[in-house]
Amino acid sequence: MSKTAVNLIIVLGLITVAFAGYYLYTQKSATTLDFDSNRPTFDNMIANTRAFIERGKVLDGVQMNVGLFDDERFTSLRSYRTDIVEPPIGRSDPFAEVEDKVFDELEPPASVPVITNI
């Protein structure tokens, strides 16, 4: 890089750091919490915290019985899925001649019913 480009990058970096420092310095006073002047908000926060702690104690007292999943009805389940067979990708000989078949001349597979009265 040329000296002009390096100097320009250094100056832009210093301006960015200076701007970020100034922004953080001006935001310092906005982040302090003053509960003395805003008593209703503080009381609401304390009430919500107490409710959260009480709900946590109730949930901690819940005992889960996982013995249900050892039942024969869960362990004897069978899978009814079918394996997906991937069709071959591409052709076996990519340099072979391409067959020109018209779509109407193709025969449907045996498993597909043919509808004749449309």
Side-chain angles (χ1 to χ4, degrees):
M1 274 200 255
S2 68
K3 288 187 174 188
T4 307
V6 172
N7 289 339
L8 184 64
I9 291 172
I10 290 173
V11 168
L12 289 176
L14 289 174
I15 290 172
T16 304
V17 169
F19 177 76
Y22 175 74
Y23 178 76
L24 293 174
Y25 178 75
T26 58
Q27 294 298 318
K28 182 178 69 170
S29 63
T31 59
T32 59
L33 295 176
D34 185 20
F35 294 119
D36 295 331
S37 63
N38 201 354
R39 191 67 187 174
T41 304
F42 178 71
D43 293 338
N44 189 23
M45 183 182 66
I46 294 296
N48 287 339
T49 304
R50 285 184 182 139
F52 181 77
I53 292 171
E54 289 173 11
R55 290 180 188 140
K57 288 179 182 177
V58 169
L59 290 175
D60 286 341
V62 173
Q63 296 294 323
M64 296 286 294
N65 183 5
V66 293
L68 170 73
F69 299 111
D70 294 334
D71 191 84
E72 182 183 345
R73 289 174 273 188
F74 285 103
T75 58
S76 66
L77 295 177
R78 296 184 307 180
S79 174
Y80 292 100
R81 70 177 178 93
T82 57
D83 292 334
I84 298 174
V85 179
E86 292 188 24
I89 299 173
R91 301 187 304 169
S92 59
D93 184 7
F95 300 106
E97 293 293 322
V98 178
E99 299 175 13
D100 284 334
K101 288 189 176 181
V102 180
F103 183 76
D104 294 334
E105 296 176 1
L106 296 175
E107 295 181 18
S111 63
V112 177
V114 179
I115 301 173
T116 56
N117 55 355
I118 296 179

